[in-house]
Amino acid sequence: MTAVPAGPASDGYRVRPVARVESTLVDRASAPRQGDEGAPDAWLVFDDSVADGLRDLRAGSDVLLLTWLDRASRDVLIVHPRGDPTRAPEGVFTTRSPDRPNPIGLHRVTVLAVDGLRVKVSDLEAIDGTPVIDVKPVLDPGTER
Amino acid sequence: MTAVPAGPASDGYRVRPVARVESTLVDRASAPRQGDEGAPDAWLVFDDSVADGLRDLRAGSDVLLLTWLDRASRDVLIVHPRGDPTRAPEGVFTTRSPDRPNPIGLHRVTVLAVDGLRVKVSDLEAIDGTPVIDVKPVLDPGTER
């Protein structure tokens, strides 16, 4: 066992995009807050350095997509849920606000098509250019989002 | 709209731990592969810089915990699912292998207790010292993991 630092590392870790979102959504103001609120289908364009990791992805499967919401504010800890000023402010860890210390988006989507390094998915509320940082299978079909 | 780089950023983004796991699990070999496979309860010890983000977290709620699996290998793209050498190798993006380009763990847990910056959660398969990078509410109770 290696020694474990007592507190959070001050420098953290480097997350590297594995793909980018290609979407008709181009700004935060027009993006739905969740994928099931009218978000469009979108393409994910993977870096060829991770092609092997993709090789078993098939159309029809449901996956969890993790994105890095690079337009978010990282110093926000309290928000109005869903950006609604009439709702009482809440700590970010009980909301899905994109503004949070590590602005990671979690999206459950269906794979619609796979064309080499390009993967089409359903109902993605992330905007054009958003970095994708991970793709994971849904463990229990119908029970993850 | 700001200009969007065509490919993945070569330098990436800095993820900063917001908490650390305190667990009786001390190495990967003894850790269950999923939380529902006999994982123990564990404490999350948050950094006081993010205390405001936690303020509405209550015992009894189900949350999604994102961790940075800092013992993982980031250059692995093909694995035997569940580390079982009798299973055919698979691309990492269709597995939950901790070894992957961005080793982010996703854990659905129940909050058992909140004591200031310390939060007790159920059935967490992450090992002692693992950095926690985000906490999100479950959107549909009973339908996320």
Side-chain angles (χ1 to χ4, degrees):
Chain A
M1 184 187 168
T2 52
V4 173
S10 56
D11 52 348
Y13 303 94
R14 185 62 68 178
V15 61
R16 289 184 287 266
V18 296
R20 293 267 172 185
V21 172
E22 266 187 21
S23 173
T24 55
L25 293 175
V26 294
D27 58 50
R28 278 184 64 167
S30 62
R33 296 197 168 259
Q34 298 298 332
D36 57 3
E37 296 174 9
D41 299 341
W43 287 92
L44 314 177
V45 185
F46 284 81
D47 194 68
D48 62 6
S49 65
V50 299
D52 281 346
L54 271 185
R55 65 178 209 177
D56 297 294
L57 202 60
R58 301 280 180 268
S61 50
D62 281 5
V63 298
L64 297 169
L65 203 65
L66 277 66
T67 56
W68 186 266
L69 303 169
D70 57 348
R71 276 74 156 186
S73 299
R74 302 185 63 176
D75 54 357
V76 170
L77 292 169
I78 297 175
V79 296
H80 293 280
R82 298 181 58 84
D84 177 349
T86 68
R87 291 182 62 168
E90 205 171 308
V92 285
F93 295 135
T94 42
T95 79
R96 288 286 186 110
S97 168
D99 300 319
R100 55 203 309 120
N102 292 302
I104 296 173
L106 177 64
H107 321 265
R108 182 178 174 153
V109 297
T110 301
V111 176
L112 300 175
V114 180
D115 178 14
L117 294 169
R118 296 174 58 84
V119 175
K120 189 178 188 183
V121 299
S122 64
D123 303 335
L124 182 62
E125 74 276 22
I127 61 179
D128 190 57
T130 299
V132 175
I133 59 174
D134 202 6
V135 181
K136 298 181 187 296
V138 170
L139 288 184
D140 292 315
T143 66
E144 294 186 292
R145 175 168 166 195
Chain B
M1 183 187 169
T2 54
V4 173
S10 57
D11 52 348
Y13 302 93
R14 186 61 68 177
V15 61
R16 289 185 287 265
V18 296
R20 294 268 170 184
V21 173
E22 264 187 20
S23 173
T24 55
L25 294 174
V26 293
D27 57 51
R28 277 184 64 167
S30 62
R33 296 196 168 262
Q34 297 298 331
D36 57 3
E37 296 175 8
D41 299 341
W43 286 92
L44 315 176
V45 184
F46 283 81
D47 194 68
D48 62 8
S49 66
V50 299
D52 282 346
L54 272 186
R55 65 177 209 178
D56 296 294
L57 202 61
R58 301 281 181 268
S61 50
D62 281 6
V63 298
L64 297 169
L65 204 63
L66 277 66
T67 56
W68 186 266
L69 304 168
D70 57 347
R71 277 75 156 186
S73 298
R74 301 186 62 175
D75 53 358
V76 170
L77 292 169
I78 297 175
V79 295
H80 292 281
R82 297 183 59 85
D84 178 349
T86 69
R87 291 182 62 168
E90 205 171 308
V92 286
F93 295 134
T94 42
T95 80
R96 287 286 185 111
S97 170
D99 299 320
R100 54 202 310 119
N102 292 303
I104 296 172
L106 178 63
H107 320 264
R108 182 178 172 151
V109 297
T110 301
V111 176
L112 300 175
V114 180
D115 178 15
L117 294 169
R118 297 173 58 84
V119 175
K120 190 179 188 183
V121 300
S122 63
D123 302 337
L124 182 62
E125 75 275 25
I127 63 181
D128 190 57
T130 300
V132 175
I133 59 174
D134 203 6
V135 180
K136 297 181 187 295
V138 170
L139 287 184
D140 292 315
T143 65
E144 295 184 294
R145 177 171 164 190

